[in-house]
Amino acid sequence: MDVVQEVRQFNRFYTRLVGLLDEHLPDSGLSLPEGRVLYELATAGGQAAADLTRTLGMDKAQLSRVVRTLTGRGLLASEVDPAHGKRRLLSLTPAGRDAFAALDAGTRRRMASVLQPLAGDRQQALVTSMHAIQGAFDAQQALPVEVTLRAPVPGDLGWVIHRQAVLYAREYGWDWTYEALIARILGDYATGFDATREDGWIAERGGEVVGSIFLMKGDTPDVARLRLLYVEPHARGLGVGRRLVDTCIARARQLGYRQLTLWTNDVLVSARRIYEAAGFRLTAQEPHRSFGRDLVGQTWELAL
């Protein structure tokens, strides 16, 4: 596969799709560079030309031409920076703010028309793919910071099975018998779900599923099980795993359990660190052959 060619082909497709090859941006007489300058000043406030050059990645000559054009149309004004007498700040005039409002509305209408043929699940898949592209280059800056936890909805359990099977095959070389195990666990969970004794959480970041955890009934009424904790690779290091575990522990206490137990394998080092930090203690371990690998299974327990 020629990755460079694939990226170039995608770029051509996308620029045609959203109209970036048109002479003017939607519902405006503005070129793309002019629209970018208006957007930056409208959203970030007054800035010096040098700051705009760095932010927008324009060369000085191009920015100078754009500024002259916008100023000549009465959309930009320049004034002395009160904090630095030798520096001038560019800002939008009232006409400039009106022009930006029209541009923003036109762009939203254009994107709405592009997305309209896609059903909700396909729109979500599109957002997830865009996040993956951004995350491949800069996960920390590209994705929204906030992580939210929610209850599972139809489709989530299948997604968790798929993602855990894929990730553990990639990271630990586990075969598809692990997929069979988690499919059975979640199938039983869904079939016999008891809202008074069980719960589950899906972690989302910017509309993308980035992790999960489940609280399930144990073998005795006062013991619950923490099961199937996982966090997507690009969301690790953000505290998602710890937050999922803490939420599961709090819910177990709320439901009146006296003990929370879990079973894991020693190769899952990051998860074990989270469990230990949350107060779990290792109570048993035993070698076993599972998922095509020689592993050491571990039982951890937490008194509630």
Side-chain angles (χ1 to χ4, degrees), residues 159-223:
W159 175 258
V160 170
I161 293 168
H162 165 72
R163 289 304 297 160
Q164 283 212 21
V166 169
L167 290 175
Y168 287 11
R170 180 184 304 157
E171 296 178 352
Y172 305 106
W174 293 3
D175 64 22
W176 62 355
T177 58
Y178 178 69
E179 184 172 5
L181 172 65
I182 54 179
R184 184 167 64 253
I185 290 172
L186 286 176
D188 291 343
Y189 170 78
T191 301
F193 179 69
D194 182 352
T196 67
R197 307 296 288 164
E198 297 179 302
D199 216 331
W201 298 268
I202 300 296
E204 280 192 340
R205 195 169 192 240
E208 176 189 5
V209 174
V210 294
S212 69
I213 198 170
F214 296 88
L215 176 67
M216 301 185 187
K217 292 179 291 188
D219 296 328
T220 60
D222 61 346
V223 177

Side-chain angles (χ1 to χ4, degrees), residues 55-233:
T55 302
L56 299 176
M58 291 185 183
D59 62 53
K60 293 181 180 179
Q62 182 185 26
L63 181 65
S64 179
R65 290 193 295 270
V66 170
V67 169
R68 282 199 304 270
T69 299
L70 295 176
T71 302
R73 294 174 58 181
L75 305 182
L76 293 190
S78 174
E79 60 183 3
V80 175
D81 184 349
H84 301 279
K86 295 184 178 181
R87 190 170 77 154
R88 300 191 68 82
L89 297 179
L90 296 169
S91 61
L92 298 184
T93 64
R97 288 192 290 272
D98 290 342
F100 170 74
L103 171 62
D104 188 53
T107 301
R108 286 179 174 274
R109 283 192 294 271
R110 175 65 176 261
M111 291 309 304
S113 67
V114 168
L115 294 171
Q116 192 275 330
L118 302 181
D121 58 339
R122 295 183 67 192
Q123 290 190 16
Q124 182 57 59
L126 177 65
V127 171
T128 299
S129 297
M130 290 190 295
H131 285 166
I133 292 172
Q134 294 176 69
F137 292 97
D138 193 342
Q140 297 302 316
Q141 295 183 21
L143 297 179
V145 173
E146 184 181 7
V147 174
T148 59
L149 303 186
R150 60 168 175 78
V153 297
D156 281 337
L157 300 190
W159 175 258
V160 170
I161 293 168
H162 165 72
R163 289 304 297 160
Q164 283 212 21
V166 169
L167 290 175
Y168 287 11
R170 180 184 304 157
E171 296 178 352
Y172 305 106
W174 293 3
D175 64 22
W176 62 355
T177 58
Y178 178 69
E179 184 172 5
L181 172 65
I182 54 179
R184 184 167 64 253
I185 290 172
L186 286 176
D188 291 343
Y189 170 78
T191 301
F193 179 69
D194 182 352
T196 67
R197 307 296 288 164
E198 297 179 302
D199 216 331
W201 298 268
I202 300 296
E204 280 192 340
R205 195 169 192 240
E208 176 189 5
V209 174
V210 294
S212 69
I213 198 170
F214 296 88
L215 176 67
M216 301 185 187
K217 292 179 291 188
D219 296 328
T220 60
D222 61 346
V223 177
R225 293 178 179 175
L226 182 157
R227 309 200 78 170
L228 300 179
L229 168 69
Y230 104 96
V231 177
E232 290 286 345

